[in-house]
Amino acid sequence: MSVDERAPAVIETVAAPPPVRRPSPRPARAVVVLAPMLLTVALGLWGIRRKDTMWGDEAVTYQLAHRDLSQIWLTAQHVDLVHALHYAVMHEVFGLFGAGLLTLRLPSVLAMSAAAGAVGLLGLRLAGPRVGLLAGLVFPLLPQVQKYTQEGRSYAMVCALVAWATYVLVAGVARHARRRWAVYGCTVLLACLLHEFAVLALVAHGVTLVVSGVPRPVLRAWGVTAAGVVAGLSPLAILSAEQSAQVSWIDVPVRLPEFLAAAVVGVACALVPVAARGPVRLPVLAVPIVVLPCLLLLIASLVKPLFVDRYVLYSNIGIALLVGACVDHFHRPRKSSRDAAVAGVAAVAVLAALVLTGLWLRTPQSRSNDVTAVGATVRTVGRTGDGLLYLSGQYRIWTAANPEDTRLLRDLALAQDPVSSNTLAGVELPAPDVAARMLEFDRIVAVRGPAGAHSPADPREEAKTSTLRRHFREYGTTHVNGARVTVYVRDHEPRSR
């Protein structure tokens, strides 16, 4: 036997190719959610203090959140019932983390971050990970979103709840289950209890389901859930209607042109084709969210003006989805280098505009008033023992956030302070008593609204203005953002009416 024959046989085997691993969807989902959330937090923390200033509505939140829960409830019986839940939430936040500008605004930053994550997931589910990521990144860049990310009010929380309710709705259509509908209903109801105009998103959801042609059991489940939400909201809606005088300052739609500009851009983006990935198509979901809440508020405003852009802040969810899908469409490789150049120039112009808008939104002038400046001006122009007058009495909330600003002055019209009276601005004396107390002073510092501001027809206000006109002369006026602080000195030769 030869050596070769005695050698063990070598069996050649061909190794099987390793199994092809498909990339897990989890990393894509994580990026789609976390990247928008982190961008929102970064933008929210950028300039969050606004040079240590606060505006009027935030000052109300700040003051009421310092009261006990029982006092918040008693105050809500008279005024601001629609925001009572938010004040209670902020009371607990202040109790845990202390009061201050950061504590006042951080909940809104975190809430809007959650909303951005939900927008990313919606885009992922409806049109794929690229659309989801782009929509989620577009959302915190929108000017209205940037603004209310840094507001100590309820609107960012409402937006977050509507965004997640919308995601649960889309998931519920794909996997019909009672648990999902229960979560959807509770989320929408909580949004409505924070601000009742969130119920308009429910209408947009219903239209989306009808247009999508979902099966009858799904439509029936949504109808039952919507009925439960309306029933749960009804007590708040009925009781808050008795406080409708609070929105008497709305005489025309507030910031409608700015809102319409963003909405038109979003709806125009709906013309771009988007591949469907489920029973609900992205434009069919997004367009109703953009259009219907705004349209319904404008129709209601024909009877009583009600439209304020922040009341439908959650419409930006739809705008972000549509713009994200549009950007994805035009981001695909173009055949023409000229098209790519035009797209690049347009992108740079949009980013530059967003940066400039972002810089302006982080200044005190970006809000309708600056109560910090009002208080500082009163402290500067006032002297120890001067009289202090608010024209009208509702402006007392402007200086209540920092009592040190008015400590050396005497409030001439106040009969009972806001806390003990369970009101926002306190209870004032009868008109004759106010006029009599004014005549005891030689100098009066008056806090007034801007020129042309709505002034209530009230005997007290008439007594204040007529007494100033007849017995005092204007010594000097300081104009601050959204207000005027005027010093009056006694004129010892009274003038006729």
Side-chain angles (χ1 to χ4, degrees), residues 382-403:
R383 299 175 182 173
T384 302
D386 281 354
L388 178 61
L389 199 65
Y390 296 92
L391 300 167
S392 64
Q394 65 184 357
Y395 296 141
R396 189 171 283 104
I397 62 175
W398 287 356
T399 59
N402 186 9

Side-chain angles (χ1 to χ4, degrees), residues 99-275:
L101 277 178
L102 288 178
T103 313
L104 177 68
R105 292 170 182 159
L106 274 177
S108 292
V109 174
L110 298 176
M112 204 65 88
S113 173
V119 171
L121 282 178
L122 276 168
L124 171 66
R125 192 175 193 100
L126 296 173
R130 284 213 317 178
V131 172
L133 180 60
L134 289 169
L137 294 176
V138 165
F139 179 75
L141 294 174
L142 296 174
Q144 197 183 27
V145 173
Q146 288 196 58
K147 180 176 182 178
Y148 292 104
T149 298
Q150 298 183 332
E151 292 270 313
R153 297 294 279 174
S154 65
Y155 306 108
M157 297 181 186
V158 173
C159 188
L161 289 167
V162 171
W164 280 102
T166 305
Y167 178 75
V168 174
L169 173 73
V170 173
V173 171
R175 295 182 180 179
H176 182 48
R178 290 184 179 180
R179 179 177 59 83
R180 292 181 182 271
W181 290 109
V183 172
Y184 169 75
C186 291
T187 307
V188 175
L189 179 58
L190 184 56
C192 294
L193 293 178
L194 281 169
H195 197 280
E196 55 193 16
F197 285 155
V199 74
L200 300 177
L202 197 65
V203 179
H205 291 165
V207 170
T208 293
L209 295 182
V210 171
V211 175
S212 298
V214 298
R216 284 189 178 182
V218 172
L219 201 57
R220 190 181 303 114
W222 175 86
V224 172
T225 306
V229 171
V230 172
L233 177 63
S234 295
L236 175 64
I238 293 170
L239 293 173
S240 64
E242 299 175 1
Q243 300 177 358
S244 59
Q246 275 192 266
V247 292
S248 60
W249 61 272
I250 308 175
D251 50 2
V252 295
V254 179
R255 287 181 292 276
L256 179 60
E258 295 90 335
F259 178 85
L260 287 181
V264 167
V265 170
V267 173
C269 290
L271 300 175
V272 172
V274 181

Side-chain angles (χ1 to χ4, degrees), residues 474-497:
E474 184 177 326
Y475 180 75
T477 296
T478 303
H479 294 266
V480 296
N481 183 22
R484 294 171 292 168
V485 179
T486 302
V487 176
Y488 289 91
V489 296
R490 184 71 179 271
D491 189 345
H492 294 284
E493 295 182 2
R495 288 160 286 176
S496 59
R497 292 181 179 272

